[in-house]
Amino acid sequence: MGVSRLDVLYRRLLLTKLFIQGWGKPEDLKRIFEFRKIIGDRERCRHLVPKDYPVYIDKVEDESDCKIHNGHFISPLEEIVPGVLPTESIKARFQFIVPKKWKKHYPVCIHLAGTGDHFYWRRRTLMARPMIKEAGMASLLLENPYYIPHPDFRNLYQKPKDQLRSSLKNVSDLFVMGGALILESAVLLHWLEREGYWPLGMTGISMGGHMASLAVTNWPKPIPLVPCLSWTTASSVFTTGVLSKAVNWRELEKQYAMHTVYEEEIIRLLEYCGTDSFRMGQDFVKFSPGSFDTLSDLDLSHELLGLDHQQQSQQQQVGLGSSAVRSQAGGGGGGSERVAGEEAAAAERERLDHMLSAVSSSGPHLEMLHAKSISRAASRRGGGVGQRQSLQRESLYFMKGVMDECTHIANFSVPVDPSLIIIVLAKEDAYIPRTGVRSLQEIWPDCEVRYLNGGHISAYLFKQGLFRQAIYDAFDRFLLKYSSHEK
């Protein structure tokens, strides 16, 4: 399956860079990784958020078909891992949209925001208001840390002052956001239970869907979940998806080269999926030398991105010896040679995608990796040909390792009842690569996956009705299994 042309073109229109200040403070990364080990185990963090955690309603707006409650609470992450949240994000804010007439029970779905989904109006307009009309279902819209929950943007409640739009400044910011949303979702689920609402579920689109998935892994009860346009890990999003083009790789490489703490200490904290990524990265370096720019485009169509001329130049410079690549770049030869070249290139891309993915459950020899990383660092900093390419690759693998550590679904508990989960995917999604990435069906047995035609952007613009239908189906499935149980 190819990738959506619209996804690629849309991404090229957005000029902002991600992670412009780099990886984040090494001490913050260490604290976040230690916290991930706790929050990844549902039993270990069962009492992190008390059932009576205080929530406050600031204002109620009366609409024709609903009441809109604007509320807030202090993020539990500030108490548990103090200092990692920016000051602007310590107070979590939400909007609770309640129908004036309920159809059956008092169902509430929590919607987490996707990338760039500032304030509430998109989720309220495209999802919450239609859900009141179609199903009599209430919606609770939680604002992301680092985002803006005010309509006129003059009062930038949660967004750091020096942050541009939705472009998180540090890689660690994404992990802080995820940890905060997991705990904040628990606060809201407890609060809704206290207020008598039932059944409760969660959803989100793109990054919001992934964050909702992480939050549900931490909830100790069966709960409907509908993640839309998301998958098992964020690592592929930032290493092989179209968003990899927006990453400020130069700054990340510079910091990785300057600070040995990343290689000598943080690598030791990566578990399971993260270290598997590093082991596969070592195989990748050993068997597939080449330039970073070529690697970052493996999942994408060269023709779509207009990279043919660029890759010809790169191949001449670094001496890529594949006959398949040479036949493509040369533009000559017969039809059979071109076909053979395309087939060989496709096979190579598939092999490299597999190597870049965290699919193995066997633990690598971390001490050996640690020794190799120190040796590579000394060689790299000492000068010599190929330093740049080596640094590019190592930064890529480090990104994959830390992303898998904090965002890979396999690093978290399996939800209590995976049969209540309906995942909605776009077949040609260029933002969320799935090639070589472990499937959710493997990690969460009994979950359902629904596929939509088209890509990420077209699904977001035109398939909201199918997202809502999946939510209704997941809630109906819950009622069939648990309607006789106590709330």
Side-chain angles (χ1 to χ4, degrees):
M1 181 63 67
V3 297
S4 164
R5 186 181 296 268
L6 177 60
D7 284 0
V8 176
L9 295 178
Y10 183 82
R11 178 58 244 174
R12 292 173 71 177
L13 293 175
L14 301 180
L15 304 178
T16 54
K17 284 284 187 180
L18 298 173
F19 314 133
I20 58 174
Q21 292 186 9
W23 301 103
K25 297 178 182 178
E27 56 269 28
D28 284 348
L29 281 171
K30 293 178 185 178
R31 296 170 70 202
I32 292 165
F33 292 167
E34 292 297 335
F35 175 64
R36 204 286 305 159
K37 295 174 184 177
I38 297 172
I39 207 165
D41 184 340
R42 185 165 54 241
E43 291 305 313
R44 289 185 67 186
C45 54
R46 182 183 278 275
H47 302 295
L48 277 182
V49 178
K51 293 183 178 180
D52 59 351
Y53 197 94
V55 175
Y56 307 97
I57 298 298
D58 305 313
K59 181 177 66 173
V60 179
E61 304 170 39
D62 196 356
E63 301 285 336
S64 60
D65 58 343
C66 66
K67 288 189 176 182
I68 301 176
H69 303 252
N70 294 274
H72 79 275
F73 56 93
I74 302 301
S75 177
L77 188 65
E78 175 61 17
E79 179 180 349
I80 298 169
V81 192
V84 295
L85 274 172
T87 304
E88 298 88 346
S89 299
I90 292 175
K91 183 180 287 187
R93 298 181 182 273
F94 66 91
Q95 198 167 84
F96 185 29
I97 303 168
V98 183
K100 289 187 173 179
K101 294 182 179 179
W102 299 90
K103 292 186 177 181
K104 186 178 182 182
H105 304 295
Y106 301 96
V108 181
C109 187
I110 297 176
H111 303 248
L112 299 188
T115 301
D117 192 358
H118 294 268
F119 193 52
Y120 310 110
W121 68 269
R122 291 187 200 174
R123 286 172 287 167
R124 187 175 62 220
T125 303
L126 298 176
M127 296 292 284
R129 298 299 284 267
M131 287 171 67
I132 288 176
K133 182 178 180 180
E134 296 167 355
M137 183 179 293
S139 293
L140 194 152
L141 317 179
L142 175 61
E143 191 61 66
N144 285 349
Y146 302 93
Y147 276 19
I148 305 171
H150 199 275
D152 63 10
F153 285 21
R154 286 193 295 268
N155 189 355
L156 306 183
Y157 285 137
Q158 291 187 261
K159 179 172 163 291
K161 294 178 182 179
D162 56 347
Q163 178 181 305
L164 181 64
R165 303 186 186 91
S166 308
S167 301
L168 298 178
K169 296 182 297 179
N170 303 292
V171 173
S172 61
D173 293 345
L174 182 66
F175 309 148
V176 172
M177 179 189 288
L181 288 173
I182 291 172
L183 297 175
E184 292 167 12
S185 297
V187 170
L188 292 171
L189 288 167
H190 284 310
W191 177 68
L192 291 168
E193 281 192 338
R194 295 200 309 268
E195 295 295 314
Y197 296 102
W198 183 87
L200 309 176
M202 294 195 68
T203 191
I205 300 173
S206 190
M207 182 182 73
H210 193 79
M211 296 298 186
S213 297
L214 296 180
V216 164
T217 67
N218 212 249
W219 187 243
K221 300 179 182 180
I223 182 172
L225 167 67
V226 181
C228 304
L229 310 181
S230 68
W231 200 225
T232 51
T233 177
S235 64
S236 58
V237 174
F238 296 106
T239 57
T240 58
V242 292
L243 276 183
S244 65
K245 298 298 179 184
V247 172
N248 185 10
W249 289 108
R250 292 282 181 172
E251 180 62 27
L252 294 174
E253 292 162 13
K254 183 176 74 173
Q255 291 184 13
Y256 189 81
M258 290 176 60
H259 303 291
T260 60
V261 63
Y262 297 113
E263 294 174 310
E264 296 175 9
E265 298 181 34
I266 292 179
I267 284 175
R268 294 182 180 275
L269 301 176
L270 304 181
E271 293 185 343
Y272 183 46
C273 296
T275 46
D276 283 350
S277 298
F278 265 91
R279 183 178 58 77
M280 290 191 172
Q282 296 300 303
D283 293 341
F284 188 85
V285 171
K286 181 178 179 181
F287 297 114
S288 304
S291 75
F292 169 81
D293 290 330
T294 303
L295 299 182
S296 65
D297 297 321
L298 289 174
D299 252 9
L300 306 178
S301 162
H302 298 165
E303 181 182 353
L304 272 178
L305 292 174
L307 295 173
D308 293 278
H309 177 73
Q310 175 186 352
Q311 287 195 329
Q312 289 178 34
S313 174
Q314 292 168 349
Q315 290 155 13
Q316 291 169 1
Q317 293 173 11
V318 301
L320 290 176
S322 166
S323 60
V325 176
R326 285 200 302 270
S327 67
Q328 283 185 311
S336 61
E337 291 180 353
R338 286 196 298 273
V339 171
E342 291 171 0
E343 291 177 348
E348 178 70 2
R349 283 196 299 273
E350 183 176 354
R351 184 172 73 88
L352 299 184
D353 277 336
H354 180 74
M355 284 183 174
L356 276 172
S357 66
V359 298
S360 172
S361 61
S362 61
H365 300 291
L366 194 54
E367 292 301 326
M368 183 181 297
L369 172 61
H370 175 60
K372 287 182 177 180
S373 68
I374 295 176
S375 175
R376 289 198 312 272
S379 173
R380 186 179 67 224
R381 296 182 183 103
V385 179
Q387 289 180 36
R388 173 69 178 160
Q389 294 173 8
S390 175
L391 180 57
Q392 289 171 334
R393 292 190 197 96
E394 290 179 37
S395 299
L396 177 71
Y397 305 137
F398 188 72
M399 171 72 86
K400 182 133 184 63
V402 297
M403 282 286 173
D404 277 340
E405 171 65 26
C406 287
T407 72
H408 203 300
I409 292 296
N411 269 351
F412 294 78
S413 299
V414 175
V416 173
D417 187 351
S419 71
L420 303 177
I421 300 171
I422 301 176
I423 302 109
V424 185
L425 300 177
K427 291 181 179 178
E428 300 175 2
D429 197 326
Y431 282 78
I432 317 291
R434 299 188 299 274
T435 303
V437 178
R438 292 184 68 190
S439 72
L440 272 174
Q441 296 104 311
E442 177 187 349
I443 301 169
W444 291 347
D446 300 325
C447 70
E448 177 186 349
V449 179
R450 298 180 181 180
Y451 292 92
L452 309 176
N453 291 324
H456 197 89
I457 301 301
S458 62
Y460 180 83
L461 293 176
F462 306 117
K463 306 295 185 180
Q464 301 272 345
L466 296 178
F467 299 160
R468 296 196 300 273
Q469 186 58 55
I471 294 170
Y472 307 150
D473 293 345
F475 272 74
D476 288 344
R477 193 172 296 173
F478 175 88
L479 290 172
L480 283 174
K481 293 187 71 171
Y482 299 103
S483 60
S484 61
H485 291 59
E486 294 184 3
K487 298 179 185 179

